[in-house]
Amino acid sequence: METRLARLARKGDQRAFAEIVDLYKDKLFHLAYRMMNNRQEAEDVVQESFLRVYKHLDRYDENQKFSTWIYRIATNLCIDRLRKRRPIYSLDAENSDHEGLDGYAMMPSDDRTPESELLLSETQRIIRDAIETLPAKYKSVMVLRYMQDMSLQEISEVLDMPVTTVKTRVHRGREFMRKKLENKL
């Protein structure tokens, strides 16, 4: 379906491109927010992703899944932004609430108590902070693997790297996280 839409959009069909945007805007925002941990930057990445998709539709290889192509664009934009960021160390880091949004919120259940909520949100914050400290090359595979639920093969296609490299980075990312979380959880 996306391949058909891409074909139509390539010929100038604005409605087809609007459908592509509708199909992917939330998915790309979710990915970008998990990687950037900042709503404004995530929105910028989504917007820039669609600009690139529109500009480079002629480069889309129809033998490849459209989702892989669009995720690769968004992930690369996130990685570029993360590399350009200067590390910010703040004693008040846990107080910055990114406009009160928590991209890691779990699905609500009926048996929640204020105590379990507090414990859950504290655990999520600790994990989010640990993910935030990962180097970009590990952060991207960890977000795609554990937050986007992609297979190693899909990550390999999105990041355009061998599956063995993806496996290594997932392993090292987990080790990095384990060391970070050892004393906190």
Side-chain angles (χ1 to χ4, degrees):
M1 179 177 131
E2 289 102 334
T3 304
R4 182 182 61 78
L5 289 172
R7 222 177 275 143
L8 290 169
R10 197 181 286 160
K11 292 177 185 166
D13 186 331
Q14 295 300 312
R15 280 183 304 195
F17 189 75
E19 265 189 76
I20 290 171
V21 171
D22 281 345
L23 278 171
Y24 284 98
K25 66 183 179 202
D26 292 340
K27 293 173 184 168
L28 293 184
F29 177 79
H30 188 66
L31 167 76
Y33 187 77
R34 295 281 171 111
M35 287 187 72
M36 305 308 299
N37 205 22
N38 178 293
R39 183 181 178 81
Q40 186 58 55
E41 280 194 276
E43 287 171 353
D44 291 349
V45 164
V46 172
Q47 192 171 5
E48 200 175 332
S49 296
F50 285 121
L51 285 171
R52 289 208 180 166
V53 166
Y54 188 77
K55 202 167 147 185
H56 300 292
L57 266 171
D58 57 321
R59 293 188 194 167
Y60 167 59
D61 175 4
E62 292 183 10
N63 298 320
Q64 175 184 47
K65 280 171 52 179
F66 188 82
S67 60
T68 300
W69 186 65
I70 198 167
Y71 272 116
R72 178 181 298 154
I73 290 169
T75 303
N76 286 340
L77 286 169
C78 286
I79 291 169
D80 289 347
R81 281 174 174 259
L82 287 168
R83 284 188 181 136
K84 289 176 187 165
R85 257 190 202 173
R86 289 203 174 112
I88 300 166
Y89 300 103
S90 167
L91 296 173
D92 299 321
E94 65 190 41
N95 295 329
S96 74
D97 61 1
H98 298 289
E99 300 172 44
L101 293 172
D102 186 355
Y104 300 90
M106 299 284 226
M107 297 297 288
S109 68
D110 296 335
D111 56 351
R112 294 191 299 186
T113 64
E115 294 81 14
S116 69
E117 279 292 289
L118 186 63
L119 195 60
L120 191 60
S121 66
E122 179 64 10
T123 303
Q124 288 171 337
R125 186 191 62 75
I126 291 168
I127 292 170
R128 183 180 62 231
D129 289 350
I131 288 171
E132 189 63 22
T133 64
L134 286 171
K137 68 181 184 178
Y138 300 131
K139 187 175 191 177
S140 58
V141 294
M142 296 301 279
V143 168
L144 292 171
R145 181 78 177 114
Y146 295 107
M147 294 176 179
Q148 297 294 80
D149 275 334
M150 287 189 179
S151 70
L152 296 174
Q153 183 60 46
E154 287 171 319
I155 297 168
S156 162
E157 291 166 11
V158 166
L159 297 178
D160 197 21
M161 63 177 61
V163 175
T164 52
T165 305
V166 173
K167 280 182 188 175
T168 301
R169 288 188 180 179
V170 166
H171 177 72
R172 289 187 182 147
R174 277 200 306 242
E175 283 299 304
F176 195 106
M177 295 278 294
R178 188 180 58 72
K179 286 177 185 154
K180 282 274 180 196
L181 298 172
E182 236 166 29
N183 307 316
K184 294 185 180 178
L185 291 177

